[in-house]
Amino acid sequence: MARKGEASTSPYGEPRKFDPKFRGPIHNRHCTDVLCCVIFIVVILGYIALGILAWVHGDPRKVVYPTDSYGQFCGQKDTINENKTSLFYFNILKCASPIVLINLQCPTTQLCVSKCPDRFATYIDMQASYRHNKSYWEYYRQFCKPGFNKPLKSVAQVIRDEDCPSMIIPSRPFLKRCFPDFSTKNGILTVANQTTFKDGRGKTRNVTDLREAANGINNVLDARSVGMKIFEDYASSWHWILIGLFIAMVVSLLFLVLLRFTAGVLFWIFILGVIGIIGYGIWHCYWEYDHLQGTPGSDLTIYDIGFQTDFRVYLQLRQTWLAFMIILCIVEVFIILMLIFLRNRIRIAIALLQEGSRAIGYIMSTLFYPIITFILIAICISYWAVTAVFLSTSGEPVYKVMANQTLCKYANLTCDPETFNTTNVTKLCVGAQCTFAFYGGESFYHKYIFIFQLSNAFVFLWLVNFAIALGQCTLAGAFASYYWAFRKPADIPTCPLFSSFGRAIRYHTGSLAFGSLILAIVQLIRIILEYLDHKLKGTQNSFTRFLLCCLKCCFWCLEKFIKFINRNAYIMIAIYGKNFCTSAKEAFFLLMRNVVRVAVLDKVTDFLLFLGKLLVAGGVGVLAFFFFTHRIPVFKQETPTLNYYWVPLLTVIIGSYLIAHGFFSVYAMCVDTLFLCFLEDLERHDGSAERPYYMSKSLLKILNKQNVETKRH
């Protein structure tokens, strides 16, 4: 480490000079990146305006209610369809047509009905029964177009004009749409206990044709019954789930508090375990190598036998085990040498982890700050989702020609349902109809809906990244206040978390918005690349796939790098109050001057936090497993009876992991902040009376340094 007055040969800038006025996070600050702050506020106001505009033009009922072929909502109050809540397809067999995938609309008349059909019937059979029993027609007509009352009209004309369905089949509503009432009997697919049905055109068909038309609906309907059972399980076990999550919170908190005593032990136990396992591997390879001596064919080389799909062939060769033994020996020697040469840096990393546990112990309020970040992100997600729904439901009904003939030149063109029957389209394209397709329009607003959706996504990413940045800067300021307190805890300022939050909002909104903007741009580019890759997957050539793959990889790496730079820049902003670019540059150069320490600390921290998450989620998960499977005798009477015990079990495990992740994210931010402060401390001070170190005694001992005086003047 270069001392004051020494020339530095580092390509990453000069070590920071001593500032006698520096006493930790600077309180006399000024606003940074004001221009970006102004732009950020203007964008937020514009985002609010976009939401209002979408609210004025949008109509979420278009998502809630199904729409018939006339653009009317099924089940909407104060309309003619108020009591007609389900959408009925005249000929659901047409829904298996490829045109459905193109237009996302089934090319058959769709009608709002009060209830779905509950029996098999055809128009031909109804017409034959009409002469002596008109009740058949009274039931059948409710599935015909409104106002149609010509039961004796020829079947060919009715089917051509689609006045009535050629057949009806037993159905039940799903997502407010009538789908065949599938069931399985002795492993055979049936509808109302029948395997065949009449299609109303003189043919008898198998119900599997209906299954193809309503592709996958049977599985979804089965999933609905599973969903009801899952809901019942949650209703009977929710309080036990909350108890499990509370235990996870307590265990996470205890793990962080106890890290000051167990960090070193856990790390060295793991390292010794790895060395021992590799050592056993070396011995086992030598034993196999020696055991195969004299075995016929074992002295052949890998080159002699060539490529073999059965890997066990290679295990019969002495050369294979010799290669394994050499590789494991190299790995073992490499790990031991790394431990020898990096032992002091590993000790520093462990000491910083222990110091982080102490810091959290003094500022316990930091553990609950992630709740604020969660609330802010939840608000952003909710606003984005609502705005996206209103934007997607903006516009007037657009009608298109749905033609049964794929060669019809009018297919997929817009049309007017009121004048459609007077045009030549029905003559040139037999069976063509003018049906509702989607909502849209020709105004300026409707033309740029896609741009508005893109803007909605971009500002959403910006706001989410800003909420995360605000949390990182706030926590960094609080933990920096701890580090730069010369006498701990006496010199720790009052309410360090609240003070840090106030400084971040008041002075550094622009800087946080700047860093968030850069990250949001990269993330938006990644989303666009994923969208292009998805859209072009079936048409792109090998070069295009390679290019897209390279771009996706590059921007993924860029996003990771920017997140790393931003995180450390926010720490420097919290300490010194400088603008984003200056803070990012100083943080980057500071870390590059200590790149080995950075790598060691990062890996040690990742390992211990992973171990902690595994301990919390796994431990609570095992406890929940024994409880919900009635394997704890003391609680057998209290354990609820469940349809699927894995429902509350998975909820507890996932919830425990998320709780541990929330606690440990604070701890990771604490360690990163203390590490940067530690590096700053080494460069600024030398342990003299005028320039004492602020680090803990354990770090001073590891570095073989000491302060001349223990009291500040």
Side-chain angles (χ1 to χ4, degrees):
M1 188 66 62
R3 299 291 185 186
K4 183 181 178 182
E6 295 178 356
S8 174
T9 58
S10 172
Y12 300 110
E14 294 284 345
R16 197 179 299 279
K17 296 182 179 180
F18 172 67
D19 181 3
K21 297 181 180 180
F22 180 75
R23 296 291 184 271
I26 297 172
H27 295 278
N28 298 324
R29 300 175 178 238
H30 63 275
C31 295
T32 56
D33 296 304
V34 178
L35 178 61
C36 195
C37 179
V38 173
I39 295 174
F40 185 59
I41 294 173
V42 170
V43 168
I44 291 177
L45 294 176
Y47 196 35
I48 295 173
L50 177 62
I52 295 173
L53 189 66
W55 181 78
V56 170
H57 289 85
D59 188 354
R61 293 176 303 176
K62 298 169 185 176
V63 177
V64 177
Y65 301 104
T67 308
D68 64 11
S69 295
Y70 308 101
Q72 298 172 334
F73 299 125
C74 298
Q76 183 184 352
K77 291 184 178 181
D78 302 324
T79 66
I80 59 174
N81 290 329
E82 180 176 0
N83 296 321
K84 299 178 179 180
T85 58
S86 300
L87 187 69
F88 171 72
Y89 297 93
F90 265 34
N91 188 356
I92 197 171
L93 293 173
K94 292 184 179 180
C95 297
S97 169
I99 198 171
V100 177
L101 301 177
I102 299 172
N103 297 319
L104 300 178
Q105 190 76 1
C106 187
T108 187
T109 300
Q110 298 164 38
L111 197 69
C112 295
V113 296
S114 57
K115 61 179 181 179
C116 297
D118 58 5
R119 67 194 71 171
F120 282 106
T122 65
Y123 190 84
I124 296 175
D125 294 339
M126 180 280 303
Q127 206 171 53
S129 304
Y130 175 74
R131 302 182 188 279
H132 60 272
N133 189 348
K134 296 184 179 181
S135 62
Y136 285 100
W137 167 244
E138 293 302 321
Y139 177 80
Y140 204 93
R141 68 180 296 183
Q142 63 183 315
F143 304 108
C144 298
K145 288 182 178 179
F148 180 76
N149 193 20
K150 297 179 180 180
L152 297 179
K153 185 178 179 179
S154 68
V155 177
Q157 290 179 327
V158 169
I159 294 176
R160 183 197 63 191
D161 300 335
E162 293 210 9
D163 294 320
C164 288
S166 62
M167 62 173 179
I168 57 175
I169 56 177
S171 305
R172 54 178 170 175
F174 177 72
L175 298 177
K176 298 184 178 181
R177 290 162 174 81
C178 295
F179 286 104
D181 189 7
F182 291 115
S183 61
T184 303
K185 186 177 182 180
N186 297 325
I188 300 174
L189 186 67
T190 64
V191 174
N193 294 324
Q194 295 189 28
T195 58
T196 60
F197 67 97
K198 296 178 180 179
D199 66 356
R201 304 186 183 215
K203 294 182 180 180
T204 301
R205 307 181 66 161
N206 195 290
V207 295
T208 54
D209 295 336
L210 294 173
R211 176 64 180 272
E212 293 175 2
N215 187 24
I217 195 64
N218 194 46
N219 293 333
V220 177
L221 292 172
D222 291 341
R224 183 174 62 174
S225 62
V226 173
M228 291 300 298
K229 293 181 180 179
I230 291 175
F231 179 79
E232 293 173 359
D233 289 344
Y234 277 126
S236 60
S237 63
W238 65 269
H239 51 290
W240 293 108
I241 292 174
L242 291 180
I243 292 174
L245 297 180
F246 177 77
I247 294 174
M249 184 179 70
V250 173
V251 173
S252 299
L253 183 60
L254 287 175
F255 183 84
L256 291 181
V257 173
L258 293 176
L259 267 181
R260 72 177 70 179
F261 308 110
T262 60
V265 175
L266 289 174
F267 178 80
W268 289 115
I269 287 176
F270 173 78
I271 290 297
L272 292 176
V274 170
I275 292 175
I277 291 172
I278 296 176
Y280 170 78
I282 294 172
W283 174 83
H284 182 76
C285 290
Y286 174 77
W287 183 86
E288 291 283 358
Y289 175 78
D290 184 67
H291 182 71
L292 288 173
Q293 187 174 6
T295 303
S298 63
D299 290 327
L300 294 173
T301 64
I302 297 175
Y303 179 79
D304 291 334
I305 64 173
F307 176 76
Q308 300 291 329
T309 56
D310 188 357
F311 184 76
R312 291 174 296 180
V313 174
Y314 297 104
L315 299 182
Q316 306 301 318
L317 305 179
R318 298 185 71 207
Q319 189 184 64
T320 302
W321 292 104
L322 179 62
F324 285 161
M325 183 172 62
I326 293 173
I327 293 172
L328 289 177
C329 286
I330 293 173
V331 173
E332 185 89 329
V333 171
F334 176 77
I335 292 176
I336 293 174
L337 290 177
M338 289 286 288
L339 291 175
I340 293 173
F341 289 107
L342 299 177
R343 62 187 184 280
N344 270 347
R345 290 181 171 85
I346 293 173
R347 291 174 63 198
I348 291 172
I350 294 173
L352 283 170
L353 291 170
Q354 294 169 336
E355 193 68 15
S357 180
R358 293 191 190 94
I360 290 177
Y362 288 125
I363 316 176
M364 291 291 291
S365 57
T366 55
L367 288 175
F368 302 97
Y369 184 86
I371 297 176
I372 298 177
T373 302
F374 173 79
I375 292 173
L376 292 176
I377 293 177
I379 292 173
C380 293
I381 293 175
S382 301
Y383 189 86
W384 165 78
V386 171
T387 303
V389 169
F390 273 89
L391 284 173
S392 62
T393 56
S394 299
E396 301 298 327
V398 174
Y399 299 87
K400 289 193 174 185
V401 177
M402 294 292 177
N404 294 329
Q405 296 179 2
T406 56
L407 298 178
C408 178
K409 65 178 181 179
Y410 296 102
N412 207 33
L413 295 180
T414 56
C415 57
D416 184 351
E418 296 182 0
T419 62
F420 181 72
N421 290 331
T422 62
T423 64
N424 292 328
V425 177
T426 54
K427 298 178 181 178
L428 297 175
C429 302
V430 179
Q433 324 171 45
C434 183
T435 59
F436 167 78
F438 56 86
Y439 291 95
E442 299 298 327
S443 67
F444 174 84
Y445 172 78
H446 297 109
K447 287 181 179 179
Y448 291 94
I449 287 290
F450 178 75
I451 301 299
F452 292 149
Q453 287 282 24
L454 203 61
S455 302
N456 182 31
F458 173 69
V459 181
F460 163 71
L461 293 173
W462 194 357
L463 291 175
V464 167
N465 287 320
F466 177 82
I468 296 172
L470 178 61
Q472 292 176 341
C473 190
T474 299
L475 292 173
F479 292 126
S481 299
Y482 164 83
Y483 186 93
W484 296 111
F486 189 73
R487 294 172 299 173
K488 302 175 179 64
D491 291 344
I492 298 176
T494 307
C495 301
L497 183 67
F498 180 78
S499 300
S500 178
F501 180 80
R503 290 195 300 269
I505 288 290
R506 181 178 178 183
Y507 298 108
H508 307 303
T509 297
S511 297
L512 300 180
F514 190 15
S516 305
L517 173 63
I518 297 172
L519 185 56
I521 292 173
V522 174
Q523 290 174 337
L524 183 65
I525 294 174
R526 287 195 64 205
I527 292 173
I528 294 174
L529 288 174
E530 291 290 346
Y531 175 79
L532 291 175
D533 187 37
H534 177 72
K535 286 294 183 182
L536 301 176
K537 188 166 290 184
T539 59
Q540 60 190 335
N541 55 35
S542 300
F543 176 76
T544 307
R545 286 197 300 270
F546 173 76
L547 182 61
L548 275 176
C549 183
C550 290
L551 288 173
K552 286 163 61 178
C553 180
C554 290
F555 277 96
W556 179 84
C557 294
L558 181 61
E559 181 184 356
K560 294 295 182 184
F561 177 73
I562 289 176
K563 283 183 176 180
F564 173 77
I565 291 296
N566 283 6
R567 183 183 180 90
N568 290 284
Y570 299 147
I571 296 174
M572 300 299 278
I573 289 172
I575 299 174
Y576 297 109
K578 296 182 180 180
N579 62 50
F580 176 80
C581 291
T582 302
S583 300
K585 181 188 71 173
E586 292 181 352
F588 178 74
F589 285 160
L590 179 63
L591 294 173
M592 289 301 99
R593 290 195 295 269
N594 300 271
V595 65
V596 178
R597 284 174 175 164
V598 172
V600 172
L601 178 71
D602 183 61
K603 296 308 173 187
V604 172
T605 304
D606 287 347
F607 161 69
L608 288 180
L609 294 187
F610 171 76
L611 196 65
K613 293 175 185 178
L614 198 65
L615 174 66
V616 173
V620 176
V622 169
L623 181 63
F625 172 78
F626 281 106
F627 175 79
F628 289 117
T629 55
H630 303 268
R631 300 188 184 186
I632 301 180
V634 179
F635 294 102
K636 271 192 175 182
Q637 299 298 326
E638 289 80 6
T639 304
T641 302
L642 303 170
N643 296 299
Y644 309 109
Y645 73 86
W646 51 263
V647 171
L649 177 61
L650 285 180
T651 304
V652 169
I653 292 174
I654 295 173
S656 300
Y657 180 85
L658 293 176
I659 288 173
H661 179 74
F663 278 104
F664 295 166
S665 65
V666 175
Y667 182 72
M669 194 68 203
C670 176
V671 173
D672 288 346
T673 303
L674 296 182
F675 180 58
L676 277 184
C677 292
F678 165 73
L679 298 180
E680 286 282 287
D681 195 8
L682 281 176
E683 292 194 351
R684 282 180 174 275
H685 307 119
D686 59 6
S688 63
E690 296 79 14
R691 298 163 59 183
Y693 291 114
Y694 284 76
M695 67 187 73
S696 64
K697 292 181 180 179
S698 59
L699 286 170
L700 286 172
K701 184 177 179 181
I702 292 172
L703 295 172
N704 196 24
K705 297 179 183 294
Q706 61 181 356
N707 286 328
V708 174
E709 295 184 8
T710 58
K711 294 183 180 182
R712 295 295 305 254
H713 295 292

